[in-house]
Amino acid sequence: MSTPPNQPPDPAPTVPGLRVWPAALIAVLAAAALFKIQVLDREAAFQHRNLATAAVALLTFTALLLWWTLLSRAPRRQRRIALAAVTGLMVLSGVLFRIRGVSGDFVPIWEPRWSRTAAPAAVVVPSVSAPAPTGSAPGIVGETFPQFLGPNRNGRIAGPSLDTRWAVQPPVIAWRQPVGPAWSGFVVAGGYAVTQEQQGAEEQVTAYDRASGRRLWTHADPERYATTIAGEGPRATPALQDGRVFSLGATGRLNALDLATGRLLWTRSLTADAACSVPEWGFSGSPLVHEGLVVVSAGGREGASMIAYRADSGELAWKAGDSGAGYASPFLATLSGTPQILILNHRSFASHDPATGAVRWEVPFGAGLPLVANPIETGPDRVLISAGYNVGAELFAVGPGTHAPTSLWKSRKLKAKFANPVYRDGHVYGLDDGILVCLDVRDGSQPWKEGRYGHGQGLLVNDLYLLMAESGEMVLLRPTPEGPNELGRLRIFNSKTWNPIALAGADLLVRNDQEAALVRLPLATSAPASTP
């Protein structure tokens, strides 16, 4: 049958247009979520906002991919090409790159898979025949840094008078060399500088010549701890006393070693003695040596939360408490005239009798995430604690008895995640989610907050603050209630730096999970040293 004259042909079938409204809705919802996270929730912890932002980005990307593949009404060929391209890019990224840990704000750190691994092959070093250390710069060989956070374990040092004119008299990097991964710091006695590190399948305690960086001896144990987020290797800093080194490894091995030779004097296993498993973040609390005892946070239940061993023999002296281990180290304080060992456990703040270990009191604190920063004495009966992960700070008044301390105030203006804050003249200075703050201990108010340094570590030397930024840059400040007063900077490392720093005389020993260095600080001609 022929088409009638002058009649138009049948129209082509209608092709549905692109369905755009689901993509627009996804974009609007994502923008609203990001506005709430980054603008309305400004008081939330920085890393929490980072994680929430990453989650929104991932959900948005996934939703848009599903929309394009299933609901967009785009031509089938275009949808298949887009899906194949995304899948191929993800596979290629996984083949070429890996995550080498995270920053202090939980941002993944990517590196090519062909780059050098963070765990070099094990190094075999003779431990007894090594030459004696050569000392350090003239006049400061005898200076010591015997334990975590310094002589009083509070991050404050009555040190030498430092020259603050770094532009004119810059610090000098005396030596720098690779080290195995760990979050341990250095301790120093005379010409010895001791730290812990991971070398392949061995967890090591290593003594270096303070002046040259030459390795003197190594004690190795067949232990290894590693996770993607927490990193690899030991986390605690050793302690030195009476010519002995006391070290706690990430898997719970407690060693006593001879400082001169590295010879093993005795060893204990926390997992065996406390009948516990390795904590999620590894055993991280640095040993406390006091009155002939080595005190460690073990985290064992049923009376084995904290354990003390005799320093000379390793014999068990006492164990007490029922709380799981946190990341913090035991801290010796005298409050209301009573000596006591303070500890931040998994979800509590506790006080133990130094002689018997008996729990004097314990109060809830934290949100189940690692509690890292040590307590801070701010008066004869005052102690301040702080934690990251949106927890904040709390000031307690501690009486002479065994009653629970009184909470005086709480503040979310100091959330110390990794770094240990320091106290001076009525104010606390520390990193609040990576930003330096000043906190008034009278009421928890914040006179100022400025300077993003990341999650680093610092020491207060007289009235000067040496702050190792997470980026690997050393910063010199003179903080007061009026402002941070930054004075100078020195680039030391170019990678993530979380390790505590050590100062012996004018020798600043710094490290991260890849390198170690000794920085010789310039000294002022004359100025009195204050007492920490």
Side-chain angles (χ1 to χ4, degrees), residues 299-306 320-324 352 359 362:
R301 308 290 181 177
E302 300 179 1
S305 177
M306 186 176 287
D322 302 310
S323 298
H352 292 253
V359 178
E362 188 166 11

Side-chain angles (χ1 to χ4, degrees), residues 100-104 107-111 115-118 176-183 418 453-457 467-474 490-501 510-517:
R100 188 183 179 276
V102 297
S103 73
V107 176
I109 299 173
W110 296 86
E111 69 174 8
S115 65
R116 183 184 68 86
T117 122
R176 177 207 304 273
Q177 66 181 41
V179 293
W183 300 126
F418 298 159
Y453 300 104
H455 300 272
Q457 298 284 356
L467 176 59
M468 173 61 84
E470 184 176 1
S471 63
E473 191 171 30
M474 177 59 62
L490 174 70
R491 168 65 62 183
I492 302 176
F493 304 126
N494 292 301
S495 59
K496 178 178 71 179
T497 303
W498 285 348
N499 305 60
I501 63 178
V510 294
R511 59 159 298 178
N512 58 18
D513 62 336
Q514 300 180 61
E515 296 179 275

Side-chain angles (χ1 to χ4, degrees), residues 244-440:
R244 288 171 290 184
V245 180
F246 300 96
S247 64
L248 177 61
T251 62
R253 185 184 291 270
L254 179 66
N255 288 328
L257 308 169
D258 180 73
L259 175 60
T261 65
R263 179 173 60 90
L264 180 66
L265 303 176
W266 55 259
T267 186
R268 301 294 299 236
S269 168
L270 265 60
T271 54
D273 292 344
C276 64
S277 58
V278 177
E280 180 183 4
W281 305 93
F283 285 99
S284 308
S286 301
L288 171 68
V289 185
H290 174 65
E291 298 290 336
L293 299 178
V294 182
V295 182
V296 290
S297 174
R301 308 290 181 177
E302 300 179 1
S305 177
M306 186 176 287
I307 301 181
Y309 301 92
R310 302 200 183 281
D312 56 355
S313 64
E315 177 187 356
L316 182 67
W318 53 254
K319 52 184 178 179
D322 302 310
S323 298
Y327 203 110
S329 303
F331 177 73
L332 182 67
T334 299
L335 299 169
S336 291
T338 304
Q340 47 204 286
I341 296 175
L342 305 177
I343 185 68
L344 285 165
N345 294 310
H346 177 57
R347 299 196 68 158
S348 68
F349 178 41
S351 168
H352 292 253
D353 183 284
T356 66
V359 178
R360 300 184 69 254
W361 47 258
E362 188 166 11
V363 294
F365 184 74
L369 293 166
L371 303 176
V372 182
N374 262 19
I376 309 167
E377 288 184 83
T378 64
D381 65 344
R382 298 284 192 272
V383 62
L384 183 142
I385 55 177
S386 179
Y389 306 98
N390 225 27
V391 173
E394 188 168 1
L395 182 70
F396 291 97
V398 181
T402 58
H403 297 293
T406 302
S407 177
L408 301 179
W409 52 255
K410 297 180 182 180
S411 171
R412 292 176 66 191
K413 296 185 181 297
L414 174 58
K415 300 177 288 294
K417 186 177 181 182
F418 298 159
N420 291 270
V422 293
Y423 172 77
R424 177 180 170 84
D425 297 337
H427 293 82
V428 170
Y429 303 97
L431 293 171
D432 173 61
D433 277 330
I435 303 176
L436 189 62
V437 302
C438 172
L439 205 69
D440 192 323

